[in-house]
Amino acid sequence: MTKNLSWRGAIGGALILIAFLYLVPSLSKELPPWWKGIFPRDKIHLGLDLQGGMHLVLEVDAEKAVESSLERIIEELRHDFRKKKIRYLELKRRGAEGIQVTLIREESASDLKDLIDRNYPDFEIKRGPKVENGVAFLLDLSPKARNHIMKMASDQALETIRNRVDQFGVSEPDIRPQENHRILIQLPGIQDPKRAIELIGKTALLEFKLLDEENSLEDALKGNIPPGDEILKQVTVDPQTGIKKEVPYLLKRRTLLTGEYLTDARVQIDSQYNEPYVSIAFDARGAKLFERITGEHIGKRLAIVLDNHVYSAPVIRDKISGGRAQITGNFTMEEARDLAIVLRAGALPAPVKILEERTVGPSLGKDSIQKGLKSMVIGGAAVVLFMVLYYGLSGLVADMALFLNILFIMAGLAFFGATLTLPGIAGIILTIGMAVDANVLIFERIREELRLGKPPRAAIDAGYAKALVTILDANVTTFIAALVLFQFGTGPVRGFAVTLSIGIVASFVTAVFMTRIVFDYFFTVKRQTKLSI
């Protein structure tokens, strides 16, 4: 028994030591460098209701991702048609359903079917409506491919937003995918919600397009936009008056280069005008493309377009090699820094819209913490006092188990990376009551054995054995209920379920395992003959 007690004591000591190690990051603001390479670094995350911040639910417009994918496929089809010498009248997207092709000659139909069957397996080809001077075919995107594109768009949007938030410098963000292409974002301690929303929601599609300087901008503004052109605007703000001004540009619709080749984007200061600008760098392929584009269009104006807004349209003076470019646009330092962040993090595959936006003030969180701690202190003190008055020294053992229980719960929150919320504090308070309840069951069984005339050592053995099944039943059923709450609950309900689940396990360990070590130590090693209970 003594040897068995040694092992149990070692396990109990190890559990306490590990719990302290997991709590150190939460208790200390700065850890020594050597700690980070050896011991746990994650601290307990506080929910928005405890420290304030912003809660957002975004929905990815996955239909737009499907439409963008169809647009890219149309460009590929144009290239393949030229290569296969398939002549066509029209090639256009049909919403998010597919593509319509109108061939000039019926004889080209077999070539079209061969091309689609061989290179575009996600499409089903069938006859389209009757048209004049041609033969129409419909290319229907399969539901499987459509769902795959939508899922990929949601996953990519989640990753992009996560990168942006990380680079924005928000500590302990909570970003999770939800059903129906939605994303839950919780940013604790955020100081500027408006800026954060703009940063997260910006699509950041960077494109380089040539200005159409051969056709008249005035005619285009009157509605006579040449085929293959579009009008985009540059928005400037007068720093003196704050008045916004929109400058229209007539651009070639064709995109020469996109931001997918970017490897870096940094804020720099213009030494001549002392204004910030964003310096971007391309990868090897992007650098070659940029060099070729600038070499072929010397003397023309190349517009830098972000989310269909022109940022600048400088004249190409010479071939630019080295894969570097600048985006200027009368930025403030904050705007330039945010632009660099979204460019580094990459573009969203589809626009996102805000479904739910909630901001919790830090004063409310501070008040919640104070009230929660006050409840815990008062509730804990009442339980501690009752146990000592009713069970004597055995009550002190139960109180020790209670403190260990709270220690293990907090360490468990740090271990699992869970977030402590106000309902979570309620779960801890509930667990405090459950923790001593198990010891009450054990102590009452021990008292019954003592009244039957058994010696203290035998009464302790019998009391623990008889109470164990009851405690196990009660904890298992409560644990199952907590798991159900966690699975189907949201937000605060999940916070309550997490602390309750961890608390139940901690309660069972402390009430049955840790207190038994104390009793066995005194009545096996120290050979006590009297039991205060």
Side-chain angles (χ1 to χ4, degrees):
M1 178 61 77
T2 306
K3 185 178 179 182
N4 183 276
L5 179 62
S6 300
W7 276 108
R8 285 188 288 145
I11 293 172
L15 288 175
I16 295 171
L17 178 63
I18 292 170
F20 270 115
L21 289 177
Y22 271 97
L23 279 183
V24 168
S26 302
L27 300 174
S28 174
K29 290 185 178 178
E30 290 189 8
L31 296 171
W34 55 266
W35 178 282
K36 297 180 180 178
I38 306 172
F39 298 115
R41 290 174 293 172
D42 291 336
K43 58 183 180 180
I44 299 171
H45 298 178
L46 298 181
L48 290 186
D49 52 357
L50 293 182
Q51 62 170 325
M54 191 171 65
H55 169 99
L56 285 174
V57 178
L58 303 180
E59 184 178 62
V60 180
D61 191 350
E63 288 278 330
K64 286 286 183 188
V66 177
E67 292 176 4
S68 300
S69 177
L70 289 173
E71 293 286 355
R72 286 196 295 274
I73 292 170
I74 286 174
E75 291 300 318
E76 292 175 17
L77 280 171
R78 285 200 175 98
H79 175 76
D80 287 344
F81 284 0
R82 284 196 294 271
K83 194 174 176 182
K84 300 285 183 184
K85 297 180 179 176
I86 300 174
R87 300 185 65 189
Y88 63 96
L89 281 175
E90 192 176 42
L91 186 56
K92 66 178 182 181
R93 175 172 58 81
R94 295 183 297 115
E97 302 301 319
I99 299 167
Q100 179 172 328
V101 184
T102 304
L103 300 177
I104 294 177
R105 287 195 292 265
E106 175 75 35
E107 292 76 23
S108 302
S110 59
D111 293 336
L112 175 64
K113 288 179 181 176
D114 288 343
L115 176 67
I116 299 302
D117 292 341
R118 192 180 309 118
N119 297 344
Y120 301 91
D122 292 333
F123 288 89
E124 181 187 353
I125 184 168
K126 61 185 182 184
R127 283 277 184 178
K130 288 186 178 179
V131 294
E132 292 184 4
N133 304 322
V135 186
F137 288 89
L138 301 180
L139 308 181
D140 288 342
L141 185 65
S142 70
K144 184 180 176 183
R146 178 187 170 85
N147 292 335
H148 179 70
I149 293 170
M150 295 171 84
K151 182 178 182 303
M152 288 294 291
S154 297
D155 292 346
Q156 190 182 339
L158 179 76
E159 192 60 32
T160 303
I161 289 173
R162 187 171 284 149
N163 288 338
R164 289 181 183 180
V165 170
D166 286 346
Q167 295 190 31
F168 190 52
V170 179
S171 60
E172 304 169 14
D174 186 4
I175 305 171
R176 306 179 198 173
Q178 305 277 292
E179 294 180 346
N180 300 323
H181 311 295
R182 294 178 180 178
I183 299 172
L184 169 70
I185 303 171
Q186 291 192 333
L187 305 176
I190 197 79
Q191 299 293 324
D192 191 347
K194 185 180 176 186
R195 183 184 168 201
I197 290 172
E198 288 178 355
L199 180 80
I200 292 169
K202 192 189 285 285
T203 305
L205 177 61
L206 180 67
E207 299 170 290
F208 291 81
K209 298 183 176 185
L210 281 174
L211 263 66
D212 185 352
E213 297 174 283
E214 297 169 357
N215 292 292
S216 168
L217 173 63
E218 287 70 22
D219 287 346
L221 289 172
K222 292 174 184 174
N224 302 318
I225 301 175
D229 282 7
E230 63 182 346
I231 294 176
L232 297 180
K233 295 178 180 175
Q234 180 182 19
V235 180
T236 58
V237 180
D238 190 318
Q240 304 295 329
T241 61
I243 298 174
K244 281 189 178 180
K245 185 180 176 185
E246 292 187 343
V247 180
Y249 289 91
L250 183 61
L251 304 175
K252 298 283 187 185
R253 191 182 290 274
R254 184 183 168 212
T255 301
L256 300 177
L257 185 64
T258 67
E260 65 178 308
Y261 301 106
L262 285 186
T263 57
D264 195 16
R266 295 185 182 279
V267 178
Q268 305 281 351
I269 302 296
D270 188 311
S271 57
Q272 185 176 358
Y273 301 103
N274 198 29
E275 289 182 347
Y277 66 90
V278 178
S279 171
I280 56 177
F282 297 102
D283 60 13
R285 190 180 173 195
K288 283 184 182 177
L289 284 171
F290 194 62
E291 184 178 358
R292 181 173 60 78
I293 291 165
T294 52
E296 291 174 354
H297 300 96
I298 292 174
K300 297 180 180 176
R301 296 183 71 182
L302 182 67
I304 301 173
V305 181
L306 185 72
D307 292 344
N308 289 327
H309 283 88
V310 176
Y311 268 69
S312 55
V315 177
I316 303 172
R317 301 291 182 193
D318 203 352
K319 180 195 288 187
I320 302 174
S321 57
R324 301 197 74 85
Q326 298 177 2
I327 303 177
T328 56
N330 295 325
F331 301 120
T332 63
M333 180 57 80
E334 198 173 77
E335 289 170 343
R337 192 176 296 125
D338 289 351
L339 178 59
I341 289 174
V342 297
L343 291 176
R344 281 200 301 269
L348 289 175
V352 295
K353 62 180 177 182
I354 298 173
L355 297 182
E356 184 182 341
E357 178 189 346
R358 189 154 36 92
T359 303
V360 181
S363 59
L364 178 60
K366 188 178 179 182
D367 188 49
S368 301
I369 291 176
Q370 289 175 344
K371 287 184 177 177
L373 290 176
K374 188 177 178 182
S375 305
M376 284 180 64
V377 170
I378 293 174
V383 171
V384 166
L385 190 62
F386 170 79
M387 292 301 288
V388 172
L389 291 176
Y390 198 71
Y391 291 109
L393 292 178
S394 296
L396 275 180
V397 177
D399 291 339
M400 176 213 71
L402 180 63
F403 287 117
L404 286 180
N405 188 32
I406 296 173
L407 174 71
F408 288 161
I409 291 174
M410 303 309 283
L413 289 173
F415 177 79
F416 290 109
T419 302
L420 180 62
T421 60
L422 192 58
I425 293 177
I428 295 174
I429 295 171
L430 176 62
T431 310
I432 289 173
M434 293 179 61
V436 294
D437 184 56
N439 282 118
V440 169
L441 283 172
I442 295 170
F443 293 168
E444 289 302 321
R445 297 293 86 75
I446 293 174
R447 277 181 168 181
E448 289 175 2
E449 298 300 321
L450 290 173
R451 282 195 287 269
L452 292 174
K454 287 187 178 179
R457 185 76 188 81
I460 290 171
D461 289 342
Y464 271 92
K466 289 183 177 179
L468 182 62
V469 177
T470 308
I471 295 169
L472 196 60
D473 284 347
N475 281 300
V476 167
T477 51
T478 311
F479 189 71
I480 291 171
L483 290 181
V484 172
L485 278 179
F486 181 80
Q487 178 65 33
F488 297 104
T490 57
V493 178
R494 277 196 160 193
F496 176 79
V498 167
T499 52
L500 185 60
S501 304
I502 298 173
I504 289 168
V505 176
S507 168
F508 188 79
V509 171
T510 55
V512 177
F513 182 73
M514 303 297 274
T515 58
R516 183 67 187 272
I517 293 173
V518 177
F519 280 117
D520 285 349
Y521 174 76
F522 281 107
F523 287 90
T524 303
V525 179
K526 295 294 183 181
R527 300 189 181 281
Q528 292 282 334
T529 55
K530 290 186 179 179
L531 177 61
S532 172
I533 191 167

